[in-house]
Structure formats: C-alpha cells, structure tokens
Amino acid sequence: ISSAPAIRYPSDVMEFTNDPDPVNNTDLMIVGTAGQKITHMGPDLCKLCNPHLSSLILRSHLIHKMEGISGFRHLELLELYDNQIEALEGLDCKEGDDCGAGETLNVLDMSFNVIRDMDPVKFCPNLTELYLANNKVKKITG
C-alpha cells in the first residue's frame, strides 16, 4: 500500500521572512531536491514573504496550482519551471482587490509544466521574457 505524498509548502522546506525591508530579502529561490519537493504554494504565500519580493523561483517541485501570488505588488520575475502546473492563475486583477502579480512581471518562466491556455498572459503588460518550453499549449493569440 502506497501512501499519498506529503503536502509541503515553501515554508516547510526553507526558512524565509516577511520582513518588509525593500532592499534585503527581495528574492526567494527554492529548488526542489529529492525528498524536499513543494506540493502547494499556499494561498497565503504573499503574506509569508517580504511584500517587496521582486523574484520568486520555485523550480523542480510537484506544484499543481499557482496560488498565493496575487498579493505580490513588486514581483518582476516568476519562475515555476519544472512543476505540474496546469493553469496560469493569480496574474489578473480581482474585483475589490489590487492588481495581481502579472501587473509588474517582466520575466515569466513556466517551462516544463502542463499549461494549455496562455490567455492570462494578457494581464502582464510589462512582460519582456516568456518561457514555455515543453508545455501542452494548444493556441496562443494576441
């Protein structure tokens, strides 16, 4: 009998701070290793990190859903390379909320995921680099 994989959040595999220092702690990079794979970003990820975070890299994990990023107002680089993400989420503005993370993104690396729809990229007006190698994209418009 095999058990389900343990649920792991970024804070389970690495210590980081939500200190609002606009100069220090503005980058968070966690690369998955054997036995230390993140499975969920967590809906409150942006509350656990520095609000001035400019770079978020969660590479080579088992993440299925983009979550917890809509609160980042200074995010310029988002790299979720080599996960199992099916849809781009958290990039748009929600009613009664500030704009999502897509508003400030310059670089988005979603290579080696299972993304089919690229429509949410329209919420990234400052995007200059987009990486999508080895996804399931069927159609790109706009």
Side-chain angles (χ1 to χ4, degrees):
I1 300 173
S2 73
S3 60
I7 294 175
R8 284 196 183 89
Y9 295 95
S11 58
D12 293 334
V13 300
M14 182 177 176
E15 287 186 30
F16 51 91
T17 180
N18 64 355
D19 179 0
D21 184 337
V23 177
N24 298 306
N25 306 314
T26 59
D27 300 321
L28 177 59
M29 179 168 138
I30 306 173
V31 177
T33 60
Q36 292 295 310
K37 302 263 188 199
I38 296 167
T39 59
H40 294 75
M41 293 172 71
D44 58 351
L45 179 61
C46 66
K47 294 176 186 168
L48 300 174
C49 297
N50 181 336
H52 298 282
L53 197 74
S54 62
S55 173
L56 176 61
I57 299 171
L58 301 176
R59 183 188 311 149
S60 300
H61 291 285
L62 300 172
I63 300 167
H64 287 269
K65 179 178 179 161
M66 287 175 68
E67 58 184 351
I69 63 167
S70 61
F72 289 121
R73 303 290 174 253
H74 304 278
L75 198 62
E76 296 176 6
L77 181 145
L78 177 60
E79 181 183 307
L80 298 174
Y81 178 102
D82 192 20
N83 279 285
Q84 299 170 5
I85 296 171
E86 298 176 6
L88 295 174
E89 300 176 78
L91 302 175
D92 59 332
C93 299
K94 300 287 185 203
E95 216 172 293
D97 191 15
D98 291 329
C99 283
E103 187 71 22
T104 56
L105 277 182
N106 296 319
V107 179
L108 178 61
D109 189 346
M110 298 302 296
S111 298
F112 295 89
N113 280 284
V114 288
I115 295 169
R116 295 180 186 277
D117 180 16
M118 292 307 303
D119 191 53
V121 170
K122 69 185 177 192
F123 299 111
C124 304
N126 298 306
L127 200 64
T128 57
E129 297 178 38
L130 175 63
Y131 301 96
L132 297 170
N134 286 62
N135 270 283
K136 308 273 185 187
V137 177
K138 291 187 176 196
K139 179 177 160 185
I140 297 178
T141 58

